[in-house]
Amino acid sequence: MTVDPQVARFLEICAAREAFPVSDLTPEEARERLHPAYADQFGQVDPVGSVVDLVLPGPGGSLPVRVYTPEGEGQGLPLFVYCHGGGWVIGDLDTHDGLCRTMAARSGCIVVSVDYRLAPEHRFPAALEDAWAATVWCAERGEALGAAPGEIAVGGDSAGANLAAGVALRARDFGLDLQLQLLAFPVLDSDLTRPSYREHDAIGPSVAAMRWFWAHYLGPGGDATDPRATPLRAPDVSGVAPALVLTAECDTLRDEGDAYAARLAAAGVEVEHRCYPGQIHCFYRLGASIDAASACIDD
């Protein structure tokens, strides 16, 4: 394993700042410390035509979303429902604003970013239920946003990719036709003993951090084998939407993403799987420090 030189420099800077491990923080402290960093790390943002905040009806009440429409585009665009990462505990519309703007600008899709409920205030399956509700709303009423009927995809990074995979499985079961599921550096299982965890624990997300995230998400007595929370454990993955699975060589989550891509392909699902050498977890959100982030977004 050779870490990309820019990644190595980024990790050195992070170490010099002596940031507290997330597992040493409360959820509130983690959000306060990490949210500004998430927003600042993205770097150059591509312009879009419009950004509108809306509130959808959700299973737990109001469900905020942010809608990004590309510049100069009219009606009949594909629509992409996006779920942010952050271990189901941190992250919001602002932490991933730059990413969603840039994805909308480069893809020509309307991007709908979902501000799903966070744990531990709202434990599993609240986040998944919100992601599903937003996807169904967009499938049924997306034309009001300028979307083409039936042209809908879902995606996310890290924990958001976990939700997207769960939505794709549910969409298959309920007859909702999705064109694509983008699973970027996904959390797909609760098994923290895979080789990639042992190899890259010092880079992260660490085993301690993932235990912290899972504990807050599932709560005391939560079932870490429930396939709604761990899509890799789903008894059948056939018939789901085509998938683009992105993994990174130096990411503790690499092995579960690789395993899910292989399992989808074995079940006859159309899969494109890209593992980026020398890169780390969710590096495409680190454009201020890592040049390869932009190329990954293009992919």
Side-chain angles (χ1 to χ4, degrees):
M1 176 200 71
T2 302
V3 176
D4 180 284
Q6 289 185 322
V7 169
R9 178 57 181 158
F10 173 78
L11 295 174
E12 288 174 0
I13 292 171
C14 291
R17 291 174 179 167
E18 297 182 343
F20 286 96
V22 69
S23 54
D24 290 345
L25 304 175
T26 67
E28 295 80 9
E29 289 170 338
R31 294 165 193 158
E32 181 179 355
R33 297 187 186 195
L34 295 176
H35 282 192
Y38 270 34
D40 292 343
Q41 288 168 347
F42 185 76
Q44 184 68 35
V45 176
D46 289 12
V48 294
S50 67
V51 179
V52 178
D53 286 346
L54 300 176
V55 177
L56 308 183
S62 298
L63 177 57
V65 300
R66 185 168 292 169
V67 182
Y68 304 83
T69 303
E71 282 187 329
E73 301 286 357
Q75 297 290 307
L77 299 178
L79 188 149
F80 180 39
V81 179
Y82 195 81
C83 299
H84 67 77
W88 312 282
V89 176
I90 58 180
D92 58 21
L93 297 178
D94 293 332
T95 60
H96 286 62
D97 183 76
L99 175 63
C100 289
R101 287 175 187 264
T102 300
M103 286 196 297
R106 298 190 190 183
S107 69
C109 293
I110 296 168
V111 174
V112 178
S113 181
V114 183
D115 198 14
Y116 56 85
R117 288 170 290 170
L118 298 178
E121 296 88 347
H122 305 281
R123 300 192 192 275
F124 169 81
L128 177 59
E129 297 296 340
D130 285 354
W132 173 249
T135 303
V136 171
W137 189 95
C138 288
E140 295 177 346
R141 301 176 177 83
E143 290 179 68
L145 306 177
E151 295 293 323
I152 184 170
V154 297
D157 61 280
S158 195
N162 170 280
L163 302 178
V167 166
L169 286 163
R170 187 175 295 190
R172 174 203 61 188
D173 296 339
F174 284 85
L176 175 57
D177 187 23
L178 300 175
Q179 303 302 302
L180 179 75
Q181 53 176 320
L182 166 66
L183 309 181
F185 322 103
V187 182
L188 294 164
D189 197 13
S190 55
D191 180 1
L192 308 183
T193 66
R194 298 176 187 276
S196 57
Y197 273 103
R198 296 195 299 271
E199 294 167 9
H200 306 301
D201 187 65
I203 295 176
S206 69
V207 170
M210 291 306 300
R211 283 178 180 150
W212 186 87
F213 285 125
W214 277 111
H216 284 307
Y217 185 46
L218 296 177
D223 183 2
T225 66
D226 188 324
R228 294 174 299 163
T230 54
L232 189 56
R233 297 174 186 258
D236 177 18
V237 298
S238 64
V240 298
L244 173 59
V245 182
L246 309 181
T247 58
E249 180 187 16
C250 305
D251 181 2
T252 53
L253 304 183
R254 181 198 66 211
D255 286 352
E256 59 203 80
D258 292 352
Y260 198 61
R263 187 160 180 231
L264 291 173
V269 177
E270 181 182 350
V271 179
E272 183 170 356
H273 174 215
R274 302 183 184 186
C275 183
Y276 294 84
Q279 294 300 331
I280 57 175
H281 186 64
C282 286
F283 75 95
Y284 78 167
R285 291 196 283 101
L286 304 174
S289 303
I290 300 172
D291 292 341
S294 183
C296 182
I297 293 174
D298 285 342
D299 292 344

